[in-house]
Structures are given as structure tokens and as C-alpha cells.
Amino acid sequence: MGGKQDGDEAYGKPAKYDPSFRGPIKNRSCTDIVCCILFLLFILGYIVVGIVAWVYGDPRQVLYPRNSTGAYCGVGANKDKPYLLYFNIFSCVLTTNIITVAENGLQCPTPQVCVSSCPEVAWTVEVNQFSQKVGEVFYTANRNFCLPGVPWDMPVIQSLQQELCPSFLLPSAPALGRCLPLLNSTPPELPGISSNTSISQGISGLLDSLNARDISVKIFEDFAQSWYWILVALGVALVLSLLFILLLRLVAGPLVLVLILGVLGVLAYGIYHCWMEYRVLRDKGASITQQGITTNLSAYRNVQETWLVALIVLAVLEGILLLMLIFLRQRIRIAIALLKEASKAVGHMMSTMFYPLVTFVLLLICIVYWAMTALYLATSGQPQYVLWAPNASLPSCEKVQMNTSCNPMAQPVNSSCPGLMCIFQSYSSTGLVQRSLFNLQIYGVLGLFWTLNWVLALGQCVLAGAFASFYWALDKRRDIPTFPLISAFIRTLRYHTGSLAFGALILTLVQIARVVLEYIDNKLRGAQNPVARCIMCCFKCCLWCLEKFIKFLNRNAYIMIAIYGKNFCVSAKNAFMLLMRNIVRVVVLDKVTDLLLFFGKLLVVGGVGVLSFFFFTGRIQGLGTNFESPSLNYYWLPIMVSILGAYVIANGFFSVFGMCVDTLFLCFLEDLERNDGSLNKPYYMPTALLKILGKKNEALPGDKKRKK
């Protein structure tokens, strides 16, 4: 007995009976005030960073194209001219590469002008029009594609030599704010454009994909045709998730039994298959001694030792699982009873099932704010323009200093250097904001991780408070608060913002370390030797395990915070000690719950995926004209969206159920330590758990004789 007592004290002393305890404590004080102040100051700084980014940033540099003068198309004076026209789109493939084009924001070394509409027909300047005026050839023919300010009476030949007007036009369509030629257009016969140059080559120099425009249009059309059916699929996922959780109250035991028998059956079949393969190869005499050691892993499938090892491993796993079922059957029954009780708790407080919507909205706000701040910071520099010519090596261009700063509003006029123009180079890095841009972006990334983890912590603590009020209600019909979820939400925000920020900060630092490690690994992957890669892999594995442990510890700490209102460190310690005193029950419940929720997610996501596949591929017949599958370009697109949405919905619902199970489990463990079932100290656990444990309450639920 002394040894057992010493072992229990190694993980803290069991909780003592408290006659005033009635569930989540209402008279509590603020916790982790220092961390709360630090978090609020950080959020204030995050807001300041957003304001600075908004003041100095200009997202129009990304959202709107610029013409050769540096003016935005579709904004200000060019409000009625939203599209950008390239005089010679073939320069995108003839004189540059796609990497340079992408870095320059889809810019090409050719004059660009904002236009109200893209050219609809092909047109080329004819030889007899060279002597005519610009106004006669372009303006009167409604070809308003010259650069701003080109005089009416300028000769056409001069405007072409100075690249003030386009020498040809191709039928185009707007995409990404730019006039891109149609793929079936025929390039004109002009100097500098070879017969092997096609429209697709020109567009591929400007875009990352030849069919970017067509794909984007087809994807938009598919969404327009199938969005309501996608919503129907998401509705089916929501209904299936609700039904699965509510039916656990009735079928939790049989379902867990079926899953366990299924695992046993799979292992048994694996043993049988390995034995058959081993016997065949043994009769053939195929042994590893004949084959030898090789780097071709597929060759090991044809030796008897491989299947013998697999047979032994599967047999050991089968034996361990059978022994666990025999010796841990009582704890498995407790896990099933807690799953039923969790389903009952969710049924009493259906509002908790929709709390993930609140979490989703808060997470979306955090992500959008960070994305907008990062975008504004990235565009905080002023655009820089330099002189450029298509052939700077010509003798007539030797006197011109290329790559020097210039004013795009005053394009250079120099007939001695053909094609000399002022083009965009990059964004300036001068100024206080630009010099601190990297630090501000790091601050934003830290803010993103910290706020996201805080929002998730808030959701866990709020749900834990609501479900704890359900467990610690002796009479479930009268003692549960009227609005348990709202009460838990207000209580958590008022008293425990600092504790949530503390736990979120610890997790954030580990996640940032993992991101930095992944970045270093990707940068040095080609230069690493096997030893360095092994060390890097070990570091990554250790950080992954550390993150998983911190998430587990934080989750249980938030449950204790929601119940007792103590600070993060004390709550984490008490939760850890309580779990260590009941480690076997923890492992059994955790694995049973994981198996059940995995099966639930598989059921919801797989069901929606199969239904979506058969519907969108038109394999479900006889539903009537109102339920016919739409005609789609890519039927896999709505299927993937439906599957992804179903997973998000199922994960949201089952995360609530998982939090309910964990909360009730900790409450159950404390209930066992606090109470003994007497009239003065009755158990709060349900009758099913009392029967499994062989215990009983002398005081019935709601008994007024209970000592106050």
C-alpha cells in the first residue's frame, strides 16, 4: 500500500471534496494579467502595423495594371479604360523570360496603353498609310490605341518609329485586366516576328499557363452551373454529421465493437495473406541469401524473409490488441459510456454544434487582416523606372545611358536609338517603412500565428465551460444554466484572455520554429549531405512531437481553466497530474475516441464524395429534369469542393464532440476523486458509469436531502 501511495503522490494528491463546488466556479478573478497586457499591446502594435501598411501601401500595384506612363488602368483619369493593351505582345517571348515577367508584375518591354475595350478584329498598318496622319489612320477609324498625347497631325511612320502607336492589332479578350490575343489568331508578317512565333508563345511569355484565360473562364462557368448543388452536398454533410453524433447515444457500444472487430479482422487477413505468400516463396526456395542485399526495395517482395517478418509483426499486433481487449474491457466500457454521455450533452446544448461557425468567422478575420496587411506592406515602395531599348548594342544607342532613372510620364524621344523607352524596373526600398519591411512582415506572421492559436484556444475553453456545467449538474433538467455557452463565452473573455494568450504564445513559438526549420531545409536541401539531412529530420521530428504534446497539454489546461478559473501554469499542472494518475484510462479513451471520430469523418466525407461523384458525372438517372446534373467542363471541380467542404464541416462538428468527450472525462476523473457516493458526497456521473464501476449514489439526482 505504501508503494501505491508513493506512486500516487508522485503525480500530485487527488482532489479533495469541496462542499461548495457546483461546477464551473463563478466567483473567479483575472488570470495571467501580465500576459494579457502583453497580448493586448501586441494586438495594438499589430493594428499600428496595419495602419502603417494602409498609409504607405498601394495594393493597386497588384490589383490594377499600369500603362507605359505609370498610370493605373481603370482608376482615376483612366476609370473608363480598365484594360491594358500591349503594342507587341511577342516581345514577351522574344526579349525576356517568364521569370522576369512574373517578377515585374506581368510587364513586357513594349509600350502599353489603357483602353476602354480590346481590339475585336485583326488589323495591320499598310505601306500606303505610312505617309498619312495619325488622326486619319487611328483616331477617325476609332482605333484609340496610341499613347496619350500623340498629336493628330503626326505622320504615322514617325509614330511607329518612336513606338507611340501600334503597328498591328490582334483580336483580343480581357483577362487579368489585360488584352490577350485569341489563340486562333494569326500573327502578322512583321520584322522581328518569325514564322515560328505563335500567339500561344507570346501569351506564354506573359502568363504562366497557355490556357490560363480559358481555364479561369471554364472554372467560373462550372461554379456558376453547380454552386447550388455544392451547397446541397454541404447540407448533406451537415445532416450526416449531426445524425452521427446524435445516434451515438444509441449505437456507441455496437459501433465501437464493430470497429474493433474490423481492426481485428483486417489484422487477421493480413496474417493469413503473409502466411500464404511466405509458404509459396518457401516452397520455391526464394531466400534473401540467394538474392543478397540490394537497393531495389521491390525485390524484397520476392523473398520469404520479408513475408515472415510481416507475419510476425502482424501476429504480435493482433496478440497485443486481443490482450488489451481482455484486460482493458472495463475501461473500454467506461470510454463507450462517456461517448454516450457526450452525445447526450451535445443533444442538451445544440448551440454548441454551431459554435465552430463563430470560430471560423474569427479565424477568417485574422487571416484576411494578415493577408491585407502583408499585401499593403509588399506594395509600400514607389515604382522605379529606367531607360531601356530592345537593342542597346547598336552604335546609335551607345551615347544613351541605359538602366538610369527616368520619368514614365515623359517618355524619351530619341530617334538615334530605336525603341528607347522608360519602363518599370522594381519598387524602391528606401524610406523607413521599406527598410523595416522584413521586420514588419515577420511581426505580421507572428501576429497571424498568435491570433489564430488564441481564437482556437478561446473556442476550446468556451466549449469546455459549457460541457462542464452539464456534467456538474446533479439534476440535468434543473441545474444546467439557461445559456451555458453564452455564459462560458463571456466568462472566458472577461477573466482568462491572458491565460489563453499564454498557451497560444507557447504553441506559436514552436510553430514558428518549425516554419523556420522547414524554410532552412528547403533552401539547403541540395547542399546537404546524408548526415545533415538526418540531423535536420531529427530536429523536425522533435519539434513535431513537441507541438503535438503542447496542443494536448493546452487543451486539457483550458478545460481546467474553464472549470476552476486558475492561471495557465497551475491549470496545466493539475490537468497533467490528473491524467497521469489515470494514464491507462486516458490512453484507452483517447484511442477509442480517435477511432470513432475517424470513422465518422470517413463516413461523412466518403458518403458526400461518392454521392457527388455519381451525381456530377451523370450516373444517377431517373431523378427528373429538376435534378439533372449540370453540364460541366471539369466535373472533378465541384466534386473536390464538395469533399473539402464536407471535411471542414465534419471536422468542425466532431471537434466539438471531441472537446465534449475530453471535458466530461476530466470531470469524471475529478468526480471519482472528490466524491464517494454518500448522501453528503454523491457522484455526478451518469447511472451507466456507476453500474460499470459497481458504485451507487445514496442521494438521487435532485435530492433535497443532500447536504448544502
Side-chain angles (χ1 to χ4, degrees), residues 496-525:
H496 307 303
T497 297
S499 297
L500 302 183
F502 190 9
L505 178 60
I506 297 174
L507 183 59
T508 296
L509 295 178
V510 176
Q511 291 175 339
I512 292 293
R514 287 193 64 193
V515 171
V516 172
L517 203 61
E518 289 287 348
Y519 176 79
I520 295 175
D521 185 36
N522 289 331
K523 286 293 184 182
L524 303 179
R525 181 161 307 211

Side-chain angles (χ1 to χ4, degrees), residues 98-294:
I98 183 59
I99 298 178
T100 305
V101 171
E103 290 178 349
N104 292 339
L106 298 182
Q107 297 290 327
C108 290
T110 183
Q112 301 142 42
V113 62
C114 298
V115 296
S116 57
S117 61
C118 298
E120 298 180 356
V121 295
W123 174 82
T124 305
V125 177
E126 298 178 358
V127 178
N128 57 3
Q129 293 177 325
F130 287 166
S131 59
Q132 299 182 14
K133 305 299 183 182
V134 169
E136 299 174 354
V137 176
F138 289 94
Y139 299 149
T140 57
N142 199 24
R143 300 188 188 98
N144 299 315
F145 302 122
C146 295
L147 295 178
V150 178
W152 178 284
D153 57 351
M154 176 180 284
V156 172
I157 184 63
Q158 183 179 353
S159 68
L160 297 181
Q161 291 174 347
Q162 298 180 6
E163 294 192 336
L164 301 177
C165 294
S167 59
F168 65 92
L169 299 173
L170 295 173
S172 308
L176 302 176
R178 293 160 175 84
C179 294
L180 299 184
L182 303 178
L183 294 179
N184 57 1
S185 303
T186 302
E189 296 181 0
L190 293 174
I193 301 178
S194 65
S195 58
N196 296 327
T197 304
S198 63
I199 297 296
S200 61
Q201 287 178 304
I203 299 178
S204 65
L206 182 63
L207 300 175
D208 192 27
S209 173
L210 295 177
N211 298 320
R213 170 184 163 274
D214 291 340
I215 292 177
S216 62
V217 172
K218 290 179 180 179
I219 289 176
F220 179 79
E221 290 176 351
D222 286 347
F223 274 116
Q225 291 287 336
S226 61
W227 66 269
Y228 45 89
W229 293 115
I230 294 176
L231 293 180
V232 171
L234 298 183
V236 172
L238 188 146
V239 172
L240 288 177
S241 301
L242 282 175
L243 288 177
F244 184 83
I245 291 175
L246 296 179
L247 289 177
L248 282 178
R249 193 184 311 181
L250 302 175
V251 298
L255 187 58
V256 172
L257 180 60
V258 169
L259 291 176
I260 293 176
L261 292 178
V263 174
L264 289 174
V266 170
L267 290 176
Y269 174 77
I271 293 173
Y272 169 77
H273 181 75
C274 291
W275 165 251
M276 296 300 295
E277 293 288 342
Y278 167 73
R279 190 176 64 176
V280 171
L281 294 174
R282 184 193 59 186
D283 295 340
K284 291 181 179 180
S287 176
I288 195 171
T289 57
Q290 297 177 352
Q291 177 179 282
I293 305 299
T294 177

Side-chain angles (χ1 to χ4, degrees), residues 385-503:
Y385 294 86
V386 295
L387 291 174
W388 175 88
N391 194 351
S393 60
L394 293 176
S396 57
C397 297
E398 293 179 353
K399 297 181 180 180
V400 179
Q401 295 182 355
M402 300 296 176
N403 297 323
T404 56
S405 300
C406 59
N407 183 8
M409 303 301 293
Q411 289 287 335
V413 178
N414 191 331
S415 57
S416 62
C417 184
L420 182 65
M421 65 180 66
C422 186
I423 64 171
F424 170 81
Q425 183 186 42
S426 62
Y427 295 106
S428 65
S429 58
T430 59
L432 179 61
V433 176
Q434 287 72 40
R435 290 195 301 269
S436 306
L437 183 60
F438 178 77
N439 296 330
L440 293 177
Q441 292 285 22
I442 293 297
Y443 191 97
V445 172
L446 180 61
L448 173 66
F449 278 89
W450 199 359
T451 52
L452 290 181
N453 288 322
W454 185 87
V455 169
L456 295 175
L458 175 65
Q460 292 176 352
C461 195
V462 169
L463 291 173
F467 292 126
S469 65
F470 170 85
Y471 184 92
W472 294 110
L474 195 60
D475 188 349
K476 308 301 183 186
R477 295 169 297 180
R478 296 185 311 175
D479 297 343
I480 298 177
T482 306
F483 302 104
L485 188 65
I486 297 177
S487 300
F489 185 82
I490 296 174
R491 187 168 59 243
T492 303
L493 277 183
R494 180 179 179 183
Y495 295 108
H496 307 303
T497 297
S499 297
L500 302 183
F502 190 9

Side-chain angles (χ1 to χ4, degrees), residues 276-450:
M276 296 300 295
E277 293 288 342
Y278 167 73
R279 190 176 64 176
V280 171
L281 294 174
R282 184 193 59 186
D283 295 340
K284 291 181 179 180
S287 176
I288 195 171
T289 57
Q290 297 177 352
Q291 177 179 282
I293 305 299
T294 177
T295 57
N296 184 12
L297 299 180
S298 61
Y300 290 101
R301 295 176 54 188
N302 301 320
V303 296
Q304 57 178 320
E305 287 80 3
T306 301
W307 296 102
L308 180 61
V309 171
L311 173 65
I312 295 174
V313 172
L314 292 179
V316 170
L317 291 177
E318 184 88 354
I320 292 175
L321 186 56
L322 287 174
L323 291 176
M324 289 177 59
L325 291 177
I326 295 173
F327 292 103
L328 301 179
R329 60 186 184 278
Q330 190 79 350
R331 290 178 171 84
I332 294 176
R333 293 177 61 194
I334 294 175
I336 294 174
L338 283 172
L339 291 173
K340 292 181 179 179
E341 190 69 9
S343 178
K344 186 184 298 183
V346 171
H348 275 80
M349 295 180 288
M350 288 298 297
S351 59
T352 57
M353 297 301 300
F354 299 96
Y355 184 81
L357 295 177
V358 178
T359 301
F360 175 77
V361 171
L362 294 177
L363 292 176
L364 187 63
I365 291 174
C366 295
I367 294 174
V368 170
Y369 180 81
W370 168 79
M372 295 302 297
T373 301
L375 176 62
Y376 273 79
L377 285 175
T379 58
S380 60
Q382 295 298 321
Q384 302 295 309
Y385 294 86
V386 295
L387 291 174
W388 175 88
N391 194 351
S393 60
L394 293 176
S396 57
C397 297
E398 293 179 353
K399 297 181 180 180
V400 179
Q401 295 182 355
M402 300 296 176
N403 297 323
T404 56
S405 300
C406 59
N407 183 8
M409 303 301 293
Q411 289 287 335
V413 178
N414 191 331
S415 57
S416 62
C417 184
L420 182 65
M421 65 180 66
C422 186
I423 64 171
F424 170 81
Q425 183 186 42
S426 62
Y427 295 106
S428 65
S429 58
T430 59
L432 179 61
V433 176
Q434 287 72 40
R435 290 195 301 269
S436 306
L437 183 60
F438 178 77
N439 296 330
L440 293 177
Q441 292 285 22
I442 293 297
Y443 191 97
V445 172
L446 180 61
L448 173 66
F449 278 89
W450 199 359

